[in-house]
Amino acid sequence: MDGKSIAQWPASERPRERLLKQGPEALSDAELLAIFLRTGVPGTSAVALARQLLDEFGDLGHLLNASKQQFCAIRGLGEAKYVQLHATLELARRYLAVQWQRGEPLTSPQAVRDYLRHRLQGLEEERFMLLLLDSQHRVLQTIELSRGTIDAAQVYPREVVKTALKANAAAVILAHNHPSGVAEPSQADRHITGRIQQALALVDVSVLDHLVVGRGQSCSFAERGWL
């Protein structure tokens, strides 16, 4: 059926109808992507095009993290689809941030890692994030402190302290990404983390973790025993 328009498929097999009846979790990556694409190209349905895209990039994660040039080079795609895709991803990130700030304590390290991975993975420049928590480890705020490389001295411990005190935070989680895709912390990462930890200790604010996010992987300072 891949050569046919999805409108010609039996209703029980169309992705939109299946989503409405069974919920989004019942659909494959290709089917969800086909709903986003809306249309295929001549001779290829949206589902078939979605499968081709997943084969081309290897998996959904690599597709979503593709550069504009890589994405738009595929037949059937273009700048408009690229903009739509990244608007959708940003909505998902903001939804997760809102869910975090509704007062639920952070009881799962994996939940923290998943959120930060979605927030930072695949970005083309390095960004340094600060999660401010209260005494029960509920998220007060998520703040982007800097863009660029950490060793370019764009993250200042005094600014972290000032921000934490302003929010009346009891603890923080630090996070940044490596655009190279390699999550292994550098010596500069470890140096700035130590300076921030020492500065925050003077005002009785704990550093719970520093996560370095790469492509499909992350590294936790707490798990390494560095905090």
Side-chain angles (χ1 to χ4, degrees), residues 101-134:
Q101 293 176 23
R102 286 184 173 175
E104 290 298 320
L106 295 179
T107 57
S108 168
Q110 188 59 46
V112 178
R113 185 168 295 188
D114 287 345
Y115 168 75
L116 291 170
R117 180 170 54 83
H118 286 296
R119 184 70 181 83
L120 294 170
Q121 183 175 274
L123 298 176
E124 296 181 358
E125 63 181 345
E126 195 164 300
R127 301 190 189 186
F128 195 98
M129 306 292 297
L130 178 67
L131 275 65
L132 300 161
L133 314 174
D134 68 10

Side-chain angles (χ1 to χ4, degrees), residues 197-218:
Q197 186 177 29
Q198 291 173 6
L200 287 172
L202 296 175
V203 292
D204 200 26
V205 176
S206 303
V207 178
L208 299 183
D209 204 351
H210 184 167
L211 286 168
V212 181
V213 178
R215 188 178 296 276
Q217 56 183 331
S218 58

Side-chain angles (χ1 to χ4, degrees), residues 86-102 115 118-119:
H86 282 270
T88 301
L89 289 174
E90 185 59 26
L91 282 173
R93 293 185 185 108
R94 295 185 188 191
Y95 168 77
L96 288 172
V98 169
Q99 292 296 100
W100 268 32
Q101 293 176 23
R102 286 184 173 175
Y115 168 75
H118 286 296
R119 184 70 181 83

Side-chain angles (χ1 to χ4, degrees), residues 171-190:
V172 303
I173 294 175
L174 311 173
H176 78 281
N177 65 305
H178 281 175
S180 66
V182 179
E184 187 63 27
S186 66
Q187 284 301 117
D189 297 338
R190 296 189 64 176

Side-chain angles (χ1 to χ4, degrees), residues 51-152:
R51 288 174 182 153
Q52 290 175 16
L53 289 172
L54 292 173
D55 288 341
E56 176 79 19
F57 288 96
D59 56 41
L60 189 60
H62 284 88
L63 170 61
L64 298 181
N65 289 322
S67 68
K68 177 184 171 184
Q69 183 178 7
Q70 291 171 317
F71 186 87
C72 295
I74 303 298
R75 178 172 174 258
L77 303 180
E79 194 172 81
K81 289 291 185 188
Y82 181 81
V83 169
Q84 288 176 322
L85 176 63
H86 282 270
T88 301
L89 289 174
E90 185 59 26
L91 282 173
R93 293 185 185 108
R94 295 185 188 191
Y95 168 77
L96 288 172
V98 169
Q99 292 296 100
W100 268 32
Q101 293 176 23
R102 286 184 173 175
E104 290 298 320
L106 295 179
T107 57
S108 168
Q110 188 59 46
V112 178
R113 185 168 295 188
D114 287 345
Y115 168 75
L116 291 170
R117 180 170 54 83
H118 286 296
R119 184 70 181 83
L120 294 170
Q121 183 175 274
L123 298 176
E124 296 181 358
E125 63 181 345
E126 195 164 300
R127 301 190 189 186
F128 195 98
M129 306 292 297
L130 178 67
L131 275 65
L132 300 161
L133 314 174
D134 68 10
S135 59
Q136 297 181 42
H137 295 174
R138 293 175 298 202
V139 177
L140 299 170
Q141 283 181 277
T142 302
I143 295 173
E144 181 180 302
L145 285 180
S146 74
R147 297 189 182 193
T149 57
I150 290 178
D151 57 5

Side-chain angles (χ1 to χ4, degrees), residues 154-171:
Q154 294 190 33
V155 178
Y156 299 98
R158 65 175 179 271
E159 290 300 320
V160 177
V161 171
K162 181 179 177 181
T163 302
L165 290 175
K166 184 177 179 180
N168 196 29

